[in-house]
């Protein structure tokens, strides 16, 4: 395959580039997505024939908008629903987040009034440009709903796949890799100028998912409008980061002010009680009776009768 000069910002691990390659909804993009699904799911014997992307790239697309979803949502001709994403951000609570996504997919896969046997299968595929399960050496993990001891499947309607690109061994020759390892290595290093020779060796293996993906990747990376999208995405990320920093700073400042005010008010209240207690004790020592002390408390500290009697009971014992 002809060498191509890469812009480092155009890596396939960039969630926007990934979305544009596999979520465009064009014939070539759908073919690349189909090949991706088949290699990840190991569907050699029962291949997915074609897919329909449900959230294709559209005019007016604005990266960084809150409503922008970089996941590729699709359905196959066999009736399966897919959510495919490139995750390169914070992995904190990512397992819970993924489960929440899966629950929504399962819930929406059954139309109102349908029997449960009409429920479509929901499959989540998350490529992670990092490590998620350091205890597990394999880069591909598959989670199903199974009985803990016997492995009996409760249902196959929800399956979650994680592919940890951080576990890729770039010293391993491509010809010794599995199809899935080669494809994940392609995703990891395409667009990385320091890995061009290694990526070329991946092309030489003739891996279908790589060839189809590269065809779409080349088309979009040669499109000048993508550069503008990426610039806007980068600006949006900077804007979001700045906004979060300002919000955090303001929250800390407000917390300190509230803390100081609370401490000041608490100090006044504590000082007030010390004065009240001293007055009560001094007047008791002088032989003053309850009514006289309560009356004095009301006048000296601007208390109502109920509050003055409360303090007398508290400090006269």
């Amino acid at each position: 395959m002809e060498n191509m000069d890469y812009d480092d910002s155009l890596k396939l691990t960039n969630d926007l580039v990934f979305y544009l390659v596999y979520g465009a909804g064009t014939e070539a993009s759908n073919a690349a997505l189909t090949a991706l699904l088949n290699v990840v799911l190991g569907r050699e014997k029962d291949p997915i024939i074609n897919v329909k992307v449900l959230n294709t790239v559209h005019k007016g697309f604005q990266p960084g908008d809150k409503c922008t979803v970089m996941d590729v949502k699709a359905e196959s001709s066999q009736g399966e629903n897919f959510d495919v994403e490139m995750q390169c951000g914070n992995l904190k609570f990512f397992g819970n987040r993924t489960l929440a996504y899966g629950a929504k997919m399962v819930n929406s896969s059954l139309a109102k009034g349908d029997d449960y046997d009409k429920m479509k299968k929901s499959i989540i595929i998350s490529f992670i440009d990092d490590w998620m399960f350091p205890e597990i050496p394999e880069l591909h993990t598959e989670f199903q709903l199974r009985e803990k001891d016997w492995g009996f499947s409760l249902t196959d309607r929800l399956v979650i796949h994680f592919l940890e690109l951080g576990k890729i061994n770039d010293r391993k020759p491509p010809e010794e890799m599995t199809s899935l390892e080669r494809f994940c290595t392609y995703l990891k290093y395409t667009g990385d100028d320091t890995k061009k020779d290694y990526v070329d060796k991946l092309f030489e293996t003739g891996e279908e998912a790589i060839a189809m993906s590269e065809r779409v990747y080349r088309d979009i990376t040669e499109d000048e409008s993508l550069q503008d999208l990426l610039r806007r995405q980068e600006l949006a990320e900077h804007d979001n980061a700045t906004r979060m920093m300002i919000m955090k700073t303001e929250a800390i400042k407000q917390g300190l002010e509230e803390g100081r005010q609370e401490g000041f008010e608490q100090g006044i209240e504590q000082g007030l009680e010390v004065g009240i207690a001293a007055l009560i004790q001094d007047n008791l020592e002088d032989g003053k009776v309850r009514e006289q002390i309560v009356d004095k408390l009301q006048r000296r500290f601007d208390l109502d009768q109920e509050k003055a009697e409360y303090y007398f009971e508290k400090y006269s014992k």
Side-chain angles (χ1 to χ4, degrees):
M1 203 171 269
E2 180 186 348
N3 282 335
M4 176 180 176
D5 291 329
Y6 293 117
D7 181 333
D8 195 53
S9 66
L10 301 181
K11 293 181 179 179
L12 262 171
T13 50
N14 179 305
D15 56 356
L16 172 58
V17 176
F18 184 89
Y19 177 50
L20 294 173
V21 170
Y22 298 104
T26 63
E27 183 178 350
S29 178
N30 285 354
L33 178 60
T34 301
L36 176 156
L37 294 172
N38 282 325
V39 73
V40 170
L41 302 177
R43 297 281 285 267
E44 295 87 359
K45 295 181 180 179
D46 178 30
I48 296 168
I49 306 303
N50 54 64
V51 293
K52 177 183 178 182
V53 176
L54 305 177
N55 62 329
T56 56
V57 180
H58 53 82
K59 285 187 176 181
F61 171 78
Q62 294 289 332
D65 287 352
K66 283 187 176 180
C67 60
T68 300
V69 177
M70 294 296 183
D71 300 22
V72 178
K73 301 180 185 299
E75 63 181 5
S76 70
S77 54
Q78 289 100 314
E80 301 155 306
N81 289 335
F82 301 97
D83 186 294
V84 186
E85 68 169 336
M86 176 63 69
Q87 178 66 24
C88 47
N90 190 359
L91 294 180
K92 190 175 183 180
F93 306 122
F94 187 65
N96 291 348
R97 169 186 174 276
T98 304
L99 181 60
Y101 273 36
K104 288 181 180 179
M105 288 179 67
V106 170
N107 188 52
S108 62
S109 71
L110 195 64
K112 186 176 180 180
D114 277 355
D115 294 332
Y116 286 113
D117 63 347
K118 300 292 194 301
M119 183 182 290
K120 296 179 180 179
K121 188 170 185 175
S122 298
I123 301 173
I124 296 178
I125 299 174
S126 291
F127 293 94
I128 300 168
D129 191 23
D130 204 339
W131 290 57
M132 186 168 178
F133 307 109
E135 307 86 354
I136 302 175
E138 289 80 11
L139 65 84
H140 180 204
T141 46
E142 177 179 342
F143 291 83
Q144 305 174 358
L145 293 172
R146 291 183 176 273
E147 201 284 326
K148 177 172 68 73
D149 296 321
W150 294 89
F152 182 78
S153 175
L154 175 66
T155 176
D156 67 346
R157 297 297 90 177
L158 176 62
V159 181
I160 299 172
H161 296 260
F162 295 109
L163 297 110
E164 301 167 77
L165 304 187
K167 293 180 178 178
I168 289 171
N169 178 7
D170 61 358
R171 294 182 298 277
K172 188 173 183 179
E175 61 272 16
E176 295 179 11
M177 295 178 173
T178 65
S179 292
L180 181 57
E181 286 176 325
R182 283 193 287 267
F183 180 68
C184 287
T185 304
Y186 165 76
L187 290 180
K188 173 73 175 175
Y189 294 125
T190 291
D192 184 342
D193 251 349
T194 66
K195 298 290 184 181
K196 286 176 65 175
D197 292 341
Y198 192 56
V199 171
D200 285 342
K201 291 180 181 178
L202 293 169
F203 295 147
E204 292 171 4
T205 65
E207 196 67 52
E208 182 181 37
I210 293 176
M212 291 187 171
S213 298
E214 181 67 9
R215 190 174 301 122
V216 185
Y217 175 77
R218 283 173 174 255
D219 286 343
I220 68 165
T221 52
E222 290 170 359
D223 186 346
E224 291 183 3
S225 63
L226 176 65
Q227 300 295 331
D228 181 55
L229 276 176
L230 288 168
R231 279 193 295 272
R232 282 191 280 139
Q233 182 197 38
E234 187 175 358
L235 287 172
E237 289 172 353
H238 287 313
D239 288 345
N240 288 335
T242 302
R243 191 178 303 113
M244 292 299 294
M245 182 271 292
I246 293 172
M247 289 173 62
K248 184 177 180 181
T249 302
E250 289 298 320
I252 292 172
K253 181 179 178 181
Q254 182 178 351
L256 288 173
E257 290 295 333
E258 290 176 355
R260 278 195 290 267
Q261 181 65 24
E262 183 179 345
F264 179 68
E265 292 172 356
Q266 186 177 3
I268 292 175
E269 185 176 345
Q270 289 174 351
L272 187 65
E273 288 211 23
V274 170
I276 290 172
L279 183 145
I280 292 171
Q281 292 298 321
D282 287 345
N283 279 265
L284 285 172
E285 290 175 5
D286 290 340
K288 297 292 191 296
V289 297
R290 174 190 176 99
E291 290 75 13
Q292 290 175 309
I293 297 173
V294 167
D295 180 65
K296 191 175 287 188
L297 287 174
Q298 288 180 266
R299 287 185 286 106
R300 289 277 184 89
F301 298 101
D302 195 26
L303 302 174
D304 59 33
Q305 184 172 348
E306 183 179 0
K307 195 70 173 178
E309 288 178 346
Y310 163 78
Y311 282 125
F312 180 84
E313 292 295 331
K314 183 176 182 180
Y315 294 115
S316 63
K317 297 174 182 178

